[in-house]
Amino acid sequence: MRTKVTARYVLGHHNGHHVLLENACVVYSGHTIDFVGHDFTGPVDEERHMGDALLMPGLIDLDALTDIDHLILDSWAGAEQAKGHQWSEDYFRNRRTDVFTAGERQQIREYALIQLVLHGITTYMPIASEVHSEWAESFEELAGMAETSRRLGLRGYLGPAYRSGVNVVLDDGSRSVMFDDDRGREGLADALRFIDHANELNDPLVNGVLLPCRIETLDIELLKATAAASSERDVLVRLHSLQGLVERQLIQDWHGVTPLELLDQVGLLNERLLIPHATYTDRNPAVHGEDRGDLAQLADSGASIIHCPLTSMRYGSTLDSFNAYKSAGINISLGTDSFPPDLIRGIDAGVQLAKILAGSNDAGDVAGYFDAATLGGAHALRRPDLGRLEPGAQADLVAFSLEDIRDGVHDDPLRTLLLNGTARQAVLSVVAGRTIKVDGTIEGVDLAFWRSKGQELFDRMRGAYSSRDFGNRPADELFPPVYARLER
């Protein structure tokens, strides 16, 4: 079946770069694109006219929230409150438990994946908090999520998150990491089992990858085993690292090297590695404030970073700077990492932060950020058929409406969407030629039910923090409202 989609603006691809076409169309059959341009006169089976919209490659989110939002709770905390967001030493040793049943965890996954579809994400790599799990993620949990993902039609790069350690607050109030090495080995075994499962499914929308947690929560042997498995099976590894001063200090105390040096030593620093955040390299003002070789090492390794500008900003940090990393030759992809999974708002945050860091309005690289959300993600995944609208590429596309008066006037449609809009304006999403969202609806999905269910699950998650807090403080003390609530 051949489908033709027309729009006022189409972000096509020509000679290795995105280009803007006006009053143009994209034609696809099966899972691939046949034509991108102004005049197509061949026969089609279906036409969609998107009107005043921007039709562009589907967005690639490589740190995509597949959980209930916790940033709404913990991005406001001072030092003492923040301790209540970690496990206590007693909880680690004696009281670890799952907040949710296995069935509820699958509901959380479905709620989050629906959010990705609604925000124009077509390809994703999941991230979820392990705080409210007994340890980390299991094979069964990810196998269930893979089935939900297939049903919704998303393109996923999946695997159970695993770790051998967990960040805790000790009885004296200090922060550390406590380890259970056997759980780490079990987690890697589950991750390898899932890769085999994904291969057996033989579904191009389910791809197995290795998703260990944070670098400071993996013992040295687990890091080396992850690197060996990645090399042997030629699979991608995403590892949160270079993302904080506590992480940096712990790694230096334990191993005598920086996190970047440790990645290199254990064999992970190569083209198969994706590093979310990567904000604490040597040029960060909190580290050295000047580049002493970290960016060149990252670029030479072929590793990709996953920049999450909106989430980083909300936790009070930023990439210093997007242009510096790009100029060094580092491949930059994008992630959302928290709610909302809105890469348009993320791009806006990144562009404006870049201006502030450079002290110049022309430092806001809009094209660079849109490239990162499409081409950069495709490069990180080693998928040159993703992230672009051109013949032969995968038919992954999304349309954002620009027809509401609140969208303002049009000069360049990407700037209009960026400055005046959000990803909530997605009106069409297509993955591998299958329409997964049109006119605000997802076939077979009751959004009113999921809105209610999401709130129910969130309330359960919020209340459970008290049992893990080293001071056993109530949730209302850990997460005070903006203003005091006046009781009836």
Side-chain angles (χ1 to χ4, degrees):
M1 178 171 142
R2 175 173 280 178
T3 302
K4 176 182 178 182
V5 183
T6 61
R8 179 175 176 184
Y9 305 106
V10 173
L11 191 65
H13 200 72
H14 182 68
N15 291 335
H17 301 281
H18 288 326
V19 292
L20 189 64
L21 297 80
E22 193 159 355
N23 296 316
C25 69
V26 175
V27 180
Y28 56 91
S29 54
H31 57 79
T32 57
I33 295 172
D34 299 327
F35 176 87
V36 180
H38 293 99
D39 301 303
F40 183 81
T41 57
V44 297
D45 300 292
E46 182 181 15
E47 285 195 55
R48 292 189 182 277
H49 301 284
M50 305 314 300
D52 231 357
L54 170 64
L55 184 62
M56 62 175 290
L59 298 175
I60 300 175
D61 184 348
L62 297 185
D63 210 32
L65 184 71
T66 52
D67 203 348
I68 297 294
D69 181 34
H70 64 82
L71 181 143
I72 198 171
L73 296 174
D74 62 24
S75 61
W76 313 93
E80 284 305 310
Q81 277 180 311
K83 292 177 182 179
H85 306 159
Q86 304 288 339
W87 287 11
S88 68
E89 183 175 355
D90 174 59
Y91 187 83
F92 174 89
R93 294 188 186 281
N94 304 311
R95 299 187 290 108
R96 300 195 313 237
T97 188
D98 287 317
V99 173
F100 300 107
T101 67
E104 289 168 335
R105 287 296 296 169
Q106 291 305 316
Q107 289 180 323
I108 288 171
R109 300 300 197 180
E110 184 158 359
Y111 172 85
L113 294 179
I114 289 167
Q115 295 285 357
L116 298 185
V117 176
L118 291 173
H119 287 84
I121 305 298
T122 56
T123 296
Y124 74 101
M125 193 176 281
I127 178 68
S129 172
E130 301 84 23
V131 167
H132 41 269
S133 296
E134 185 270 338
W135 189 252
E137 296 173 346
S138 67
F139 166 84
E140 290 78 13
E141 188 172 344
L142 266 292
M145 186 170 80
E147 290 310 304
T148 301
S149 185
R150 295 173 78 190
R151 173 163 47 85
L152 291 172
L154 286 162
R155 187 186 302 278
Y157 284 77
L158 312 176
Y162 59 93
R163 60 183 178 180
S164 53
V166 59
N167 287 279
V168 298
V169 175
L170 301 177
D171 292 342
D172 64 4
S174 62
R175 286 185 58 183
S176 187
V177 178
M178 300 185 73
F179 286 89
D180 184 339
D181 294 350
D182 288 343
R183 297 302 298 268
R185 287 190 288 270
E186 292 168 5
L188 176 57
D190 261 7
L192 297 176
R193 181 184 170 199
F194 182 85
I195 290 171
D196 293 336
H197 173 69
N199 290 336
E200 290 166 4
L201 288 176
N202 195 30
D203 184 340
L205 297 186
V206 178
N207 305 272
V209 292
L210 293 170
L211 302 179
C213 297
R214 303 164 62 110
I215 188 172
E216 77 274 19
T217 65
L218 276 70
D219 67 85
I220 192 74
E221 294 307 320
L222 190 56
L223 286 167
K224 290 178 179 178
T226 297
S230 169
S231 176
E232 178 183 344
R233 294 172 177 250
D234 190 31
V235 294
L236 300 172
V237 179
R238 189 194 64 196
L239 178 60
H240 284 70
S241 46
L242 314 179
Q243 65 172 343
L245 293 177
V246 171
E247 167 211 295
R248 185 180 179 90
Q249 190 61 56
L250 288 171
I251 296 299
Q252 288 180 320
D253 289 346
W254 295 337
H255 306 292
V257 295
T258 67
L260 183 60
E261 290 168 336
L262 182 62
L263 290 171
D264 194 18
Q265 285 185 9
V266 299
L268 281 168
L269 191 61
N270 54 53
E271 72 284 353
R272 295 184 298 277
L273 180 66
L274 288 71
I275 306 175
H277 307 302
T279 46
Y280 283 83
T281 58
D282 50 18
R283 66 170 287 121
N284 187 295
V287 180
H288 296 301
E290 61 182 5
D291 187 9
R292 299 184 177 182
D294 281 3
L295 298 194
Q297 187 175 9
L298 276 170
D300 291 344
S301 73
S304 296
I305 70 164
I306 306 171
H307 180 30
C308 306
L310 185 60
T311 293
S312 291
M313 180 180 73
R314 287 173 164 182
Y315 282 114
S317 69
T318 187
L319 192 71
D320 190 0
S321 67
F322 181 90
N323 289 340
Y325 281 61
K326 180 182 172 183
S327 296
I330 298 167
N331 181 58
I332 306 174
S333 58
L334 291 189
T336 50
D337 189 47
S338 64
F339 194 86
D342 190 328
L343 281 177
I344 303 304
R345 290 180 69 182
I347 291 171
D348 187 22
V351 166
Q352 310 316 326
L353 286 168
K355 295 178 186 179
I356 294 170
L357 286 168
S360 173
N361 279 347
D362 62 4
D365 185 0
V366 175
Y369 268 93
F370 274 97
D371 283 353
T374 52
L375 301 172
H379 181 85
L381 297 173
R382 303 183 295 180
R383 291 290 302 268
D385 59 336
L386 298 180
R388 67 207 70 206
L389 300 184
E390 65 180 359
Q394 288 287 300
D396 290 13
L397 47 139
V398 59
F400 294 100
S401 174
L402 299 173
E403 66 181 12
D404 194 295
I405 189 172
R406 290 166 293 188
D407 298 327
V409 297
H410 297 189
D411 176 31
D412 183 287
L414 288 111
R415 288 200 186 98
T416 295
L417 177 63
L418 182 68
L419 295 174
N420 302 346
T422 77
R424 294 184 183 188
Q425 292 163 225
V427 289
L428 175 72
S429 286
V430 177
V431 179
R434 172 187 168 187
T435 300
I436 65 171
K437 172 182 181 289
V438 64
D439 297 330
T441 63
I442 305 170
E443 185 178 357
V445 173
D446 182 345
L447 295 180
F449 167 82
W450 285 108
R451 182 176 182 273
S452 175
K453 177 58 66 173
Q455 186 66 49
E456 175 190 322
L457 294 165
F458 170 80
D459 291 342
R460 175 95 58 83
M461 181 191 77
R462 181 182 185 272
Y465 275 87
S466 298
S467 65
R468 296 187 295 264
D469 176 28
F470 81 112
N472 296 121
R473 290 166 288 184
D476 286 346
E477 184 177 337
L478 290 173
F479 311 114
V482 176
Y483 294 110
R485 289 194 174 101
L486 185 63
E487 300 299 330
R488 292 177 63 88

